[in-house]
Amino acid sequence: MNNFSAVSSLLDNDFYKFTMQNAVIKLFPFAKVKYKFINRGQHSFPKDFSKILRENLNKMAYLKLSNEERVFLEKNCPYLDSSYLNFLNKYQYNPKEVNIFQKGENIQMYIEGLWSNVILWEVPLMAIMSELYYKLTGADKKISEKKITNITKEKLEKYKKLKVKIGEYGTRRRFSYRVHKIVLKTLINEGDSFFIGSSNVHFSHIFSIKPIGTQGHEWIMFHASKYGFNIADRIAMENWLNIYRGKLGIALSDTYTSPIFFKNFNKKLSNLFKGVRHDSGDPISFAKETIKHYKKFNINPIKKKIIFSDNLNPYKVSCISSFCKKKISACFGIGTNFTNDIGFPSMNMVIKMVKALPEEGKKWISVVKLSNVKEKSTGKKNMIFSAKKILRI
């Protein structure tokens, strides 16, 4: 087990972590944050899990951006400028930023430090935890490449019939690195023109495809700690535009519920952003609301897009695409259903920002995510109550 290594490249991470890191360095270079591991699925972790996890984290300190990887980013992501790529060239994971505790079958984990440094931990950490969990419970010994390929092909056939655009978003809760690679290879070989890419930058490099993604909830959660709940969405979007000048123009819609997002998504932003991402709540209701919102500003919804990314499978995609047809462009980011659907229950866990220190010398502020569904909300109960009161939810 000591030879086990689930992450072997600095780029084995979701693309939006790098795009956010670039923006953080430029706008909030001295901000500090704290993240917490949340075991939503109440998984029981095997004995010595934290010890083996720690060994893996320590190995990550040796990961470096290769020249070949830098060239890939320069060619495929021109909006990541040379100052950021120079930063990434020197970047190293610091395992001291991660504190792990195991008591019986429970794991507690916190990550703390400069936001520009610790932002990259979340996704590879979860990928390691997921793979390690299946290895230590013996599940990984029973899977053949043929089985993984066939399961993926079966889904692809359904998506082909629906004629929908799909992307792969499944790094954080993948069954294993090996399964992820086989799934992606199948998607690329069999996906024809409707497979739009992967959020994983390392695999995008290996398979010579463009990585996909924009920003995550933490981007808006941090803005709430600095500017307040009411205008967090708007300032987060404006800052994003200032950094990327219209590139990576998909706005995330549910950090403080969609109604609050749409209040912030004014005419200027609605025009400048190419579309929105849906990540919680009823997708059809959200599509209706989005179409109504664009029409209010005399914007033709068919020229805009919604990227759906909430726990998707072929049935859900079928329902959503059927509704959106000829009304608004729809794309689908499919995660765990691609990378961890091989006969074992998938893990339900997240790592979320819980505190922020926007400026040195100020107090740490508890941050929350409200989401469109109660189960996906995160943060201290009193802060969630306070945020709902301020936002009149």
Side-chain angles (χ1 to χ4, degrees):
M1 188 58 72
N2 286 347
N3 296 324
F4 165 73
S5 187
V7 172
S8 56
S9 164
L10 187 70
L11 297 186
D12 191 359
N13 206 326
D14 276 343
F15 183 51
Y16 75 178
K17 283 292 178 174
F18 299 105
T19 57
M20 285 192 292
Q21 186 182 47
N22 174 43
V24 170
I25 290 162
K26 290 177 170 62
L27 298 176
F28 311 109
F30 305 111
K32 290 181 179 174
V33 296
K34 188 173 187 176
Y35 297 86
K36 180 185 178 183
F37 168 70
I38 302 162
N39 184 3
R40 277 183 184 160
Q42 303 292 303
H43 305 289
S44 300
F45 290 93
K47 192 185 173 197
D48 292 332
F49 187 90
S50 62
K51 187 177 162 223
I52 301 163
L53 179 59
R54 169 57 67 191
E55 286 168 9
N56 267 268
L57 301 199
N58 292 342
K59 287 178 193 173
M60 286 178 70
Y62 300 100
L63 298 177
K64 296 284 282 179
L65 187 75
S66 72
N67 290 336
E68 200 186 320
E69 287 172 330
R70 177 171 176 143
V71 169
F72 171 78
L73 292 174
E74 284 171 341
K75 186 182 169 187
N76 292 280
C77 318
Y79 33 78
L80 297 177
D81 61 14
S82 58
S83 67
Y84 172 64
L85 295 180
N86 291 341
F87 170 89
L88 209 55
N89 262 129
K90 293 173 188 161
Y91 179 86
Q92 279 181 286
Y93 281 105
N94 177 3
K96 288 178 183 172
E97 292 164 342
V98 185
N99 289 302
I100 312 161
F101 312 94
Q102 180 164 3
K103 195 175 178 184
E105 296 178 334
N106 297 317
I107 293 285
Q108 280 189 313
M109 186 161 56
Y110 298 93
I111 306 158
E112 187 179 326
L114 273 175
W115 193 18
S116 56
N117 285 339
V118 297
I119 195 166
L120 292 190
W121 275 114
E122 176 197 346
V123 176
L125 242 178
M126 286 176 67
I128 291 169
M129 289 183 81
S130 187
E131 180 159 355
L132 185 54
Y133 179 83
Y134 293 115
K135 275 195 181 292
L136 291 176
T137 53
D140 69 310
K141 292 172 184 147
K142 303 158 189 153
I143 311 299
S144 71
E145 182 167 343
K146 192 179 176 185
K147 184 182 178 181
I148 300 160
T149 306
N150 287 343
I151 290 168
T152 310
K153 274 184 179 177
E154 209 173 288
K155 285 174 195 162
L156 274 176
E157 286 309 310
K158 291 174 184 173
Y159 293 130
K160 277 183 187 177
K161 281 177 187 167
L162 295 170
K163 295 179 179 170
V164 291
K165 299 274 183 193
I166 55 163
E168 179 275 306
Y169 281 24
T171 303
R172 67 190 59 219
R173 284 180 282 266
R174 66 190 181 197
F175 185 86
S176 68
Y177 178 93
R178 173 178 164 264
V179 168
H180 194 172
K181 192 174 183 179
I182 295 165
V183 165
L184 207 43
K185 188 178 163 189
T186 311
L187 289 171
I188 291 162
N189 290 342
E190 310 280 337
D192 298 335
S193 59
F194 70 90
F195 176 63
I196 56 173
S198 170
S199 65
N200 186 288
V201 190
H202 166 63
F203 284 129
S204 296
H205 172 228
I206 284 179
F207 292 114
S208 301
I209 56 174
K210 280 190 180 183
I212 53 173
T214 51
Q215 85 272 122
H217 295 100
E218 66 183 282
W219 178 248
I220 300 137
M221 289 161 75
F222 176 85
H223 279 75
S225 75
K226 191 167 169 66
Y227 303 106
F229 294 113
N230 277 307
I231 55 170
D233 278 305
R234 180 170 60 77
I235 298 181
M237 284 186 272
E238 285 171 354
N239 277 339
W240 197 256
L241 281 174
N242 290 338
I243 296 292
Y244 290 112
R245 307 286 171 193
K247 301 285 184 189
L248 307 173
I250 300 294
L252 184 54
S253 64
D254 69 331
T255 312
Y256 297 110
T257 74
S258 296
I260 300 300
F261 166 79
F262 284 120
K263 278 183 191 172
N264 281 273
F265 200 38
N266 58 31
K267 188 171 185 176
K268 175 193 161 190
L269 294 169
S270 296
N271 271 298
L272 290 172
F273 275 82
K274 293 183 180 80
V276 295
R277 178 156 78 91
H278 168 267
D279 198 50
S280 65
D282 179 65
I284 306 295
S285 299
F286 178 79
K288 285 178 185 172
E289 193 58 38
T290 306
I291 291 163
K292 186 178 155 192
H293 178 83
Y294 281 129
K295 284 181 175 174
K296 181 177 81 177
F297 293 132
N298 293 318
I299 297 167
N300 185 356
I302 209 75
K303 291 183 177 173
K304 297 293 183 179
K305 68 169 72 169
I306 303 175
I307 295 178
F308 294 92
S309 61
D310 181 26
N311 194 22
L312 298 174
N313 57 43
Y315 174 71
K316 285 183 186 175
V317 170
S318 170
C319 297
I320 299 165
S321 64
S322 171
F323 175 80
C324 291
K325 213 168 193 174
K326 294 183 180 173
K327 296 188 190 86
I328 193 164
S329 176
C331 296
F332 302 89
I334 296 160
T336 311
N337 190 253
F338 268 148
T339 60
N340 197 348
D341 181 32
I342 47 177
F344 298 93
S346 58
M347 298 193 78
N348 186 2
M349 56 180 181
V350 291
I351 292 174
K352 287 289 175 191
M353 185 189 286
V354 287
K355 283 189 176 182
L357 185 66
E359 292 164 55
E360 204 61 66
K362 298 281 175 81
K363 282 185 177 177
W364 281 88
I365 297 162
S366 290
V367 298
V368 299
K369 174 190 163 211
L370 295 184
S371 186
N372 289 321
V373 289
K374 199 178 173 184
E375 305 79 63
K376 289 184 102 174
S377 296
T378 60
K380 285 186 174 177
K381 281 181 182 174
N382 62 332
M383 275 304 278
I384 289 174
F385 178 78
S386 176
K388 283 183 172 178
K389 198 175 177 183
I390 291 163
L391 294 168
R392 296 177 180 174
I393 293 171

